[in-house]
Amino acid sequence: MELYEAIRGRRSVRRFLPESIDRSVLDRIVEAAIWAPSGGNAQTWRFVVVTEPERVAKLRTVSPGLLGDPPVVIAICQDLGEARAKGSTLGETFLAPVDAAMATQNLLLAAHAEGLGTCAIASFHGRAVGRLLELPERVETVLLVSVGRTDESPNPLPRRTEGVIHYEAFHG
Amino acid sequence: MDREAFERKVFDLVGYMATSGRNLIDETPLYGPFRLVDAASRLIEILEQEGIGSSRLSTLREHIDAGKYSVMVDAEEFKNHLDAVVDAVVDHMDSGMSEGGEGSRTSM
């Protein structure tokens, strides 16, 4: 799939088919995530791929933003202890979530190229998700991404450009 | 009715509502009404799965689901959608489980 086609064609979907996803496909999309840039090449992100139906169901219970019934949920996490050690306060408070977001976009596009639907969400209870995923205290979840085959193809929402893109200096 | 399965569904719904209650303190205000009607839809779905729904409840669920995601798109459209859902509630006030054409969907 051509890159611009993937960027423009990706949608957030909230309806999933009850089909499992091959481990090899999941490996590829997570590997795409770790090819994202990171501040100071810190690479302090961590990914927890959840495929057990029981654990996915428990995650849904404490994650109101996880809509539909995805077969896979990927937790995009950050090792804040390592981020602090590598990047000080900036690394922990700013670069960690930014790096996680960049990795997530790679993952979303790779999943789209694999014919999968996704939705990245922040509506979850961090401590509860941490307990369910058995995260060590230094690791926090930044985003959850639902992944699965879908028969949904939402219309693209309009993208605003006026007042958004500026050349050379901010105008207006 | 599988009592254990039913309890599990209700437990998940309660978890969804309780977590929403906490998270909405920090979230987009419009997500509050969304979570409320989505919880109503989920409740009706559980009742349907357990064979204790009704035609009017299913109609309301379908109505809610048809427009609930407009919250992600346009606040005014979402508000109008909720107004229409309330209109549908009023429309169905006088039709009980055993009225309304299709009648009750209960198996009790």
Side-chain angles (χ1 to χ4, degrees):
Chain A
M1 181 179 285
E2 198 261 334
L3 179 60
Y4 284 98
E5 182 190 350
I7 290 170
R8 288 174 172 269
R10 183 209 57 79
R11 301 281 179 273
S12 294
V13 302
R14 299 173 180 86
R15 193 173 68 214
F16 298 93
L17 301 173
E19 295 178 17
S20 60
I21 309 299
D22 285 349
R23 173 69 180 266
S24 59
V25 175
L26 295 173
D27 287 344
R28 281 198 296 273
I29 66 175
V30 176
E31 192 190 343
I34 67 173
W35 278 96
S38 61
N41 191 30
Q43 299 186 44
T44 52
W45 42 49
R46 304 289 183 266
F47 305 89
V48 183
V49 182
V50 183
T51 61
E52 297 169 359
E54 182 76 9
R55 203 183 297 254
V56 169
K58 287 177 179 175
L59 283 175
R60 288 181 63 217
T61 299
V62 296
S63 307
L66 272 183
L67 300 166
D69 199 358
V72 179
V73 174
I74 300 177
I76 316 292
C77 306
Q78 273 286 2
D79 186 327
L80 294 181
E82 189 178 320
R84 190 183 317 116
K86 288 185 170 178
S88 192
T89 303
L90 184 73
E92 180 185 3
T93 62
F94 180 75
L95 294 177
V98 168
D99 292 349
M102 291 193 285
T104 300
Q105 177 67 355
N106 271 18
L107 188 147
L108 300 179
L109 291 176
H112 179 57
E114 296 281 359
L116 300 171
T118 55
C119 189
I121 68 123
S123 294
F124 56 85
H125 193 279
R127 193 170 65 205
V129 168
R131 287 180 61 192
L132 292 172
L133 299 182
E134 303 172 36
L135 299 180
E137 198 170 329
R138 66 181 187 282
V139 176
E140 284 193 5
T141 309
V142 180
L143 291 167
L144 294 178
V145 178
S146 48
V147 182
R149 308 244 172 244
T150 181
D151 58 0
E152 189 183 40
S153 54
N155 290 325
L157 299 178
R159 258 46 182 182
R160 285 176 287 129
T161 55
E162 189 178 343
V164 173
I165 302 169
H166 305 261
Y167 279 88
E168 317 308 343
F170 195 96
H171 304 287
Chain B
M1 179 189 300
D2 182 338
R3 187 178 170 82
E4 192 173 328
F6 176 67
E7 193 275 346
R8 172 63 191 264
K9 291 171 188 170
V10 173
F11 182 90
D12 287 346
L13 178 60
V14 169
Y16 171 81
M17 295 174 74
T19 310
S20 292
R22 166 59 187 90
N23 284 20
L24 284 166
I25 293 171
D26 305 316
E27 287 190 310
T28 307
L30 264 185
Y31 280 13
F34 170 79
R35 303 266 189 250
L36 271 175
V37 292
D38 192 44
S41 169
R42 292 178 185 218
L43 173 61
I44 295 169
E45 188 178 12
I46 291 171
L47 296 175
E48 289 170 343
Q49 290 168 349
E50 298 303 318
I52 49 177
S54 72
S55 291
R56 65 178 181 174
L57 284 174
S58 295
T59 299
L60 288 176
R61 181 185 59 73
E62 288 162 9
H63 205 130
I64 290 168
D65 290 350
K68 65 185 180 184
Y69 290 140
S70 60
V71 69
M72 317 282 184
V73 182
D74 186 288
E76 195 62 26
E77 185 182 334
F78 182 58
K79 195 173 90 174
N80 291 337
H81 171 64
L82 295 185
D83 279 336
V85 170
V86 176
D87 283 341
V89 170
V90 175
D91 290 343
H92 288 86
M93 275 181 175
D94 293 328
S95 62
M97 287 179 66
S98 58
E99 299 175 28
E102 297 84 25
S104 168
R105 292 189 181 183
T106 181
S107 61
M108 294 177 77

